Amino acid sequence: MIGLKLLLPLLFLWSPKEKSGFEEHPFFGYEDFAAGDSILYFEVEHYDLNLDIDIPAESISATATVALKMLASSDSIRLDFVGLEISDVKEGAVSRSYERHDSALVISLGSTVPAGTELALTISYHGKPTMATGGFGRGMYIDSSSSNSAVTYTCSAPWGAKYWFPCQDCPQDKATMEMFVTVPEGYEVISNGLLAYSSLAGADWSFHWVEAHPIATYLIAFAASRNYALTTDTVQVGSDKVPIHHWVLKADSAEVTPKLAVVSDIMEYFSELFYPYPFKDEKYAHVYAPVSGAMENQTCTHINTSIAWDWDAIVAHEFSHSWWGNSTTCRYLKHMWLNEGFATYCSALWIEHAEGPQAYQDYYEEQIASVYLQASSIHPYSIIDPPWPQIYSALTYEKPAAVLHMLRRIVGDEDFFRVLKTYGERFQDSTAASQDFESVVTEVTGKNYSWFFNEWLRAPGHPRYMTTWSSQPDADSFFVSIHLAQTQNWPADVGIFTMPVEFAVIRGNDTSYLSFVDSLKEQTFVFRTDAQPSSIVFDPRGNILKKTQAGIEDGSEPAEVYFDCSLISQGGLTYSTNLREPFDILLYDASGRKLLAKHLNESAGKIDLKDFPNGVYFVRFESESHSENLKTVLLSR
Ligand SMILES: [Zn+2]
């Protein structure tokens, strides 16, 4: 418990990963967010960045050559670029005039250029990079200190790239990229793709990195430091030996590198489960950077290793972005769930592989479903087209991860993993919209799941189920009646969900399962059985993202206070709450008999139930200010 107490403030300090608000962004409002999803009139084919970084002066001198192809005729090109002083703009050898408006750099082409024309614009610029005032990645961070943890790096998700190089800064325009970086003697530079050349002589060192796979601007990054220690590994993927690099602080390498090394096993597993690692002809690297979390820059994830991570989960999450986000990039920021929902779910997939199905279910309940259900402020919004400040929230991470969990339970493992493989391979080195994924589901399963995607991706909220049951003797058998109601009434526009539902009917040592599709506000299901059920459990395998009430209707909106406990436990009841006062946990058997009462102060913990027989229990939570009947707990070993 001491460990947990020490850990919780750290987790609170750094949580949530990859998330922050955008309300202070100087140039962008929601309209720009929408505009960023508009039709492009040119596409960039290649970025050639040449960055001379004067770290002591915290300034740069740079040229960026943007090779592009016109998709429609125009007499100008509008790039995104913020701050930094431009000294010259050329098309080939010809100087071009330009104007700057807020975040836009508008370059005149001299005359109207037809669609299909390919041209290259070279922008020379210099100065101290400015940084976005909001967002997860705010551009370039230069650390001129002599600290043994000093790192100069970039972090650009989702709109920080324009703060350090001119670009078309939206995820649907991916291009190949190369970066020639010059730094003072002693600094090592790590970037995307492969190192084509380096010069480690004299007062200036140079590194030439080439990313041959298309890359979205928010994934273009480098990190430079004098403090790195490198540990390497290789993983065999098909006929390729893929280099694995861990660039971490010298001072932390012995402690941190073993925790990152699990990525080698994850690469083998995900390559088998999805399709071979998309950048197997390049590398995968972990690079220490003091980001407020971790960032999946293509082939070189930046990770803050001073955070008390759940290491396997974070390594799996970031690495899985290689498939979901980096190779297949969400075409529109409004479809962020294709990146973050998938990566969040991939942590559960790795835990399932490493620790088994019960560990998967526990992780799903505690780290995915509960996180979403407790985030009541986002419940009024849909996963697709989230409000701008919620672009990195439980709406794009945990709720869509739960959608994938539910989809898997509905279509079955075989079809689910065929869907992932087909979708990934089809949109490899490209971009995808939500409809692309949904179409693959229809194609692979041969069934139309638009009802499922519409209620879970395009509508808010989740179901809240109330279940009651009774049985009556009838001659030598029993009539059993199960009443199921959907009682969700918040947010106001939450609908009635259509979902396959399941009940476990427990008769002594015998458990059987009843399944049907529920699409009604309430319905009663009656059946005959030869033995009286001792209990009936709704959704015993935790298939559905939901709240439940066992015969209790309180009709209230989600409470600010939350209390959560595991649904299915291995000999114990794991609980957590945000309540800051003493409370009692009461355990009842199916007949309503109180079996246990615990008076507690800790906000999280586990109650040992090893002396209790397998079966169904009800949990009640009580404190001076709050009381709640909770879901049933199925104890099984
Ligand atoms: Zn992520």
Side-chain angles (χ1 to χ4, degrees), residues 465-469 480-485 499-507 511-518 523-527 535-541 543-544 546 548-549 632 634:
Y465 293 105
M466 185 174 74
T467 58
T468 52
W469 68 276
V480 179
S481 170
I482 298 175
H483 184 74
L484 176 66
M499 282 297 284
V501 296
E502 185 179 53
F503 290 87
V505 180
I506 300 168
R507 290 161 295 191
T511 301
S512 55
Y513 295 91
L514 272 177
S515 303
F516 57 92
V517 174
D518 174 55
Q523 63 177 313
T524 302
F525 190 84
V526 180
F527 60 98
S535 60
I536 293 180
V537 180
F538 176 60
D539 195 26
R541 299 179 231 251
N543 292 341
I544 305 175
K546 66 189 183 303
T548 53
Q549 299 166 277
T632 52
L634 180 65

Side-chain angles (χ1 to χ4, degrees), residues 17-18 294 296 317-318 321 339-340 343-344 397:
K17 60 186 178 290
E18 291 186 16
E296 69 277 14
H317 175 114
E318 299 303 330
H321 275 308
N339 290 9
E340 297 303 347
T344 302
Y397 283 66

Side-chain angles (χ1 to χ4, degrees), residues 24-29 32 82-83 101-103 162-163:
E24 292 183 301
H25 197 290
F27 302 115
F28 298 98
D32 300 290
V82 182
H101 309 282
D102 291 338
S103 65
K162 65 175 72 65
Y163 287 81

Side-chain angles (χ1 to χ4, degrees), residues 119-282:
L119 53 94
L121 299 168
T122 299
I123 299 100
S124 301
Y125 57 100
H126 59 274
K128 292 192 179 205
T130 52
M131 295 174 78
T133 56
F136 178 76
R138 301 179 182 192
M140 186 182 291
Y141 303 69
I142 302 181
D143 186 345
S144 60
S145 76
S146 55
S147 151
N148 65 1
S149 62
V151 175
T152 288
Y153 68 101
T154 62
C155 190
S156 301
W159 275 348
K162 65 175 72 65
Y163 287 81
W164 58 284
F165 67 95
C167 54
Q168 178 143 265
D169 203 7
C170 55
Q172 70 259 49
D173 190 13
K174 295 171 72 168
T176 52
M177 186 278 302
E178 62 193 296
M179 189 187 298
F180 194 94
V181 186
T182 302
V183 284
E185 176 185 1
Y187 282 84
E188 291 177 285
V189 178
I190 300 99
S191 181
N192 314 101
L194 286 174
L195 182 63
Y197 164 85
S198 63
S199 167
L200 312 181
D204 294 320
W205 288 12
S206 304
F207 299 81
H208 183 199
W209 287 89
V210 178
E211 176 50 284
H213 291 267
I215 182 171
T217 49
Y218 77 92
L219 296 167
I220 295 174
F222 75 86
S225 180
R226 284 177 161 150
N227 300 309
Y228 285 141
L230 170 65
T231 306
T232 62
D233 190 10
T234 57
V235 174
Q236 191 77 37
V237 176
S239 57
D240 293 273
K241 261 195 190 323
V242 183
I244 307 281
H245 295 168
H246 306 292
W247 296 89
V248 298
L249 295 176
K250 288 171 192 163
D252 298 338
S253 179
E255 186 196 340
V256 163
T257 302
K259 295 169 179 168
L260 300 172
V262 68
V263 79
S264 298
D265 293 338
I266 301 176
M267 182 178 284
E268 284 184 8
Y269 180 56
F270 284 175
S271 290
E272 190 184 306
L273 193 63
F274 310 142
Y275 64 91
Y277 174 56
F279 308 99
K280 61 188 169 63
D281 52 345
E282 295 181 338

Side-chain angles (χ1 to χ4, degrees), residues 351-554:
I351 284 160
E352 179 179 30
H353 178 73
E355 299 173 36
Q358 185 62 51
Y360 164 90
Q361 190 67 31
D362 289 346
Y363 187 86
Y364 166 74
E365 295 285 347
E366 292 160 17
Q367 303 300 326
I368 294 176
S370 291
V371 172
Y372 161 73
L373 290 170
Q374 289 160 21
S376 56
S377 65
I378 59 155
H379 292 174
Y381 308 111
S382 59
I383 288 173
I384 290 181
D385 200 2
W388 177 226
Q390 305 297 344
I391 188 172
Y392 296 123
S393 73
L395 207 55
T396 54
Y397 283 66
E398 284 82 8
K399 188 179 185 188
V403 169
L404 292 173
H405 167 84
M406 291 189 284
L407 180 67
R408 179 181 173 187
R409 292 284 164 92
I410 291 171
V411 305
D413 278 11
E414 192 180 330
D415 275 359
F416 179 75
F417 290 109
R418 276 207 301 142
V419 163
L420 293 190
K421 187 179 175 63
T422 306
Y423 166 68
E425 286 181 334
R426 184 166 303 166
F427 296 96
Q428 188 174 359
D429 281 337
S430 185
T431 65
S434 188
Q435 292 87 341
D436 294 321
F437 175 73
E438 295 163 42
S439 296
V440 170
V441 174
T442 302
E443 176 188 318
V444 167
T445 63
K447 291 180 184 163
N448 185 343
Y449 285 100
S450 57
W451 57 270
F452 174 82
F453 292 118
N454 286 341
E455 67 189 10
W456 285 107
L457 298 179
R458 296 181 176 83
H462 50 271
R464 182 174 56 178
Y465 293 105
M466 185 174 74
T467 58
T468 52
W469 68 276
S470 61
S471 71
Q472 286 189 330
D474 179 57
D476 57 352
S477 61
F478 293 85
F479 266 122
V480 179
S481 170
I482 298 175
H483 184 74
L484 176 66
Q486 293 191 39
T487 63
Q488 61 271 16
N489 58 6
W490 187 89
D493 54 345
V494 68
I496 295 296
F497 284 74
T498 296
M499 282 297 284
V501 296
E502 185 179 53
F503 290 87
V505 180
I506 300 168
R507 290 161 295 191
N509 292 325
D510 175 48
T511 301
S512 55
Y513 295 91
L514 272 177
S515 303
F516 57 92
V517 174
D518 174 55
S519 61
L520 301 173
K521 188 161 175 54
E522 50 187 313
Q523 63 177 313
T524 302
F525 190 84
V526 180
F527 60 98
R528 184 191 287 272
T529 174
D530 55 6
Q532 184 166 24
S534 53
S535 60
I536 293 180
V537 180
F538 176 60
D539 195 26
R541 299 179 231 251
N543 292 341
I544 305 175
L545 179 66
K546 66 189 183 303
K547 291 208 169 183
T548 53
Q549 299 166 277
I552 298 153
E553 171 61 282
D554 62 15

